Amino acid sequence: MNPDWLQPDWPAPPWVGAVCTTRAGGVSKAPFDKLNLGDHVGDAEGDVFANRANFTRQLKVKPVFLNQVHGVQVATVSPTSLNGAAADASITRQPGAACTIMVADCLPVLFTSRLGTVVAAAHAGWRGLAGSANLQPGSGAVGVLETCFHAFKTLALTNHQQPSIEEIGRETLVWLGPCIGADAFEVGDEVREAFVASTPNAADMFRPHGPGKWLADLRGLARQRLQRLGVTAIYGNDGSTAWCTVNNPSRFFSHRRDHGTLGGSGRMAAAIWLE
């Protein structure tokens, strides 16, 4: 595996593979240099093909790419799955297929169980993370992490150990990858209201930044949502500058940083699979 890529430091079983790419290891030209894995950002088709082929060789399993729509849909994938399903998360119990999501400021979230029977990956931008309000009083909002965890829980309950629903949260491991940091993610009132309306303590993740503007902690909002689901074993992104896509231009792609000034930005990929 490319030494610059990020591999989770977590107590997952050895047959669970996981990685998040960086800009290193590809052939794309500026502003997509080097390892752009997005085929929808304006990069040369041949360069993206070469980058994805290199990515696949290093994973040694088939990455299944999604058509991400900033929603809450979850696709079940297998080694025979085609790329392009309209979803923002994927899940599998089958070896040989890597649940794969692309990011360039949004938060990649990887899931596995301590038993290593199921894996999932979610693309958490603010829209997918906020989701929509649940009609049941007190149930909070339902975003991409809630729908992904529900699918994860359903598959985990089908294994021979038959854990209870209450045990799933405690037995789930989650890794948060790089994303736009809390000092760089300026949003408007509508974004803050989307979170606070259903989760009052989400207000703690926003700092005033001028009239009608706020700095949002995307990673912190995701942690809040995961903790509400009973997930406590959360690894990876600790909110420090080293994890911020905007503030590390030589290592990470950032749509917000580069699209306006350079005319485009590449995409990194986070993937998780069973060997």
Side-chain angles (χ1 to χ4, degrees), residues 107 109-111 129 145-146 149 169 172 174-176 219-235:
L107 177 69
V109 184
L110 303 182
F111 295 78
L129 186 59
L145 295 186
E146 286 80 11
F149 182 73
T172 299
V174 169
W175 184 81
L176 306 179
R219 174 210 65 101
L221 289 164
R223 285 185 67 92
Q224 284 185 337
R225 290 296 188 89
L226 290 164
Q227 289 166 348
R228 283 174 62 89
L229 293 168
V231 178
T232 57
I234 305 172
Y235 300 85

Side-chain angles (χ1 to χ4, degrees), residues 25-227:
V27 299
S28 292
K29 315 302 185 295
F32 309 107
D33 51 322
K34 297 268 195 289
L35 188 70
N36 166 47
L37 296 168
D39 62 357
H40 61 293
V41 297
D43 193 5
E45 182 178 347
D47 288 349
V48 177
F49 181 85
N51 290 341
R52 287 191 173 191
N54 179 36
F55 180 56
T56 301
R57 283 194 299 271
Q58 298 207 45
L59 262 59
K60 300 180 182 178
V61 295
K62 177 184 178 180
V64 181
F65 291 92
L66 305 173
N67 174 23
Q68 296 167 195
V69 295
H70 294 273
V72 302
Q73 302 91 333
V74 182
T76 299
V77 300
S78 73
T80 61
S81 294
L82 300 177
N83 292 334
D88 282 272
S90 59
I91 189 168
T92 192
R93 296 184 71 221
Q94 296 189 35
C99 298
T100 305
I101 53 98
M102 290 185 291
V103 290
D105 285 334
C106 294
L107 177 69
V109 184
L110 303 182
F111 295 78
T112 189
S113 64
R114 295 184 188 276
L115 295 175
T117 58
V118 58
V119 294
H123 161 247
W126 79 261
R127 289 181 179 83
L129 186 59
S132 59
N134 194 316
L135 297 179
Q136 299 179 1
S139 296
V142 177
V144 67
L145 295 186
E146 286 80 11
T147 56
C148 189
F149 182 73
H150 177 74
F152 182 88
K153 180 171 62 178
T154 300
L155 285 187
L157 284 169
T158 64
N159 72 58
H160 70 281
Q161 297 282 342
Q162 288 295 312
S164 68
I165 290 176
E166 292 76 16
E167 291 175 310
I168 299 297
R170 297 194 299 271
E171 293 301 310
T172 299
L173 305 176
V174 169
W175 184 81
L176 306 179
C179 71
I180 188 169
D183 292 328
F185 191 23
E186 183 183 86
V187 300
D189 287 333
E190 74 284 358
V191 176
R192 183 177 183 274
E193 290 168 3
F195 286 95
V196 176
S198 61
T199 312
N201 68 334
D204 297 338
M205 298 296 115
F206 293 86
R207 289 183 286 132
H209 194 60
K213 299 294 183 182
W214 305 84
L215 288 175
D217 185 350
L218 187 64
R219 174 210 65 101
L221 289 164
R223 285 185 67 92
Q224 284 185 337
R225 290 296 188 89
L226 290 164
Q227 289 166 348

